[in-house]
Amino acid sequence: MQFPPSIQKLIDQFAKLPTVGPKTAERYVFYLLKQPQKNLDEFSTSLKELKKDISVCRSCGAISNQELCSICSNSSRDPAQVCVISTTQDMISVENTNKYQGITMSWGVT
Ligand SMILES: [Zn+2]
């Protein structure tokens, strides 16, 4: 027996995600099937809008929703201290420590 095409299609999409194999993808889809339509609509909207307001900071290369990210547009940051990060996720992690007041440069855009 095969899954209905709408289910199989979504399993195939989830299975493309890093570290998600077909069985995990299947669990995700069956979890979603049990959710109220409102939650599915919010999930769908989040996916549709994911890249709409996203750009790359023209100064440091991190992903941002503005021309300059919140670090580069903050004049109270110390430009003499530069933290080189490989991903925007790393940059957020450093920021969340609230210990670093220098600027960051992104190694790549991810
Ligand atoms: Zn920046």
Side-chain angles (χ1 to χ4, degrees):
M1 182 179 161
Q2 293 183 335
F3 294 120
S6 59
I7 290 177
Q8 188 59 55
K9 219 162 94 179
L10 193 53
I11 290 172
D12 294 344
Q13 290 299 320
F14 277 121
K16 292 178 184 175
L17 297 173
T19 73
V20 177
K23 283 292 171 197
T24 299
E26 195 178 305
R27 281 193 289 276
Y28 288 168
V29 172
F30 279 86
Y31 169 81
L32 290 173
L33 281 170
K34 294 175 189 166
Q35 299 306 304
Q37 186 60 44
K38 177 182 170 277
N39 292 7
L40 299 180
D41 291 343
E42 288 173 4
F43 187 69
S44 170
T45 300
S46 295
L47 277 176
K48 281 184 197 166
E49 295 178 357
L50 179 62
K51 294 177 90 174
K52 279 188 179 169
D53 295 329
I54 299 299
S55 61
V56 175
C57 174
R58 70 175 160 80
S59 179
C60 73
I63 291 175
S64 175
N65 62 346
Q66 301 167 334
E67 190 176 336
L68 286 175
C69 72
S70 59
I71 294 173
C72 294
S73 62
N74 184 344
S75 59
S76 66
R77 303 297 289 234
D78 180 2
Q81 291 182 37
V82 179
C83 176
V84 179
I85 45 98
S86 62
T87 68
T88 301
Q89 291 166 290
D90 292 342
M91 182 175 127
I92 302 285
S93 294
V94 170
E95 281 301 292
N96 286 343
T97 66
N98 293 318
K99 303 262 188 232
Y100 181 70
Q101 290 302 310
I103 61 172
T104 56
M105 295 300 291
S106 179
W107 189 260
V109 180
T110 52

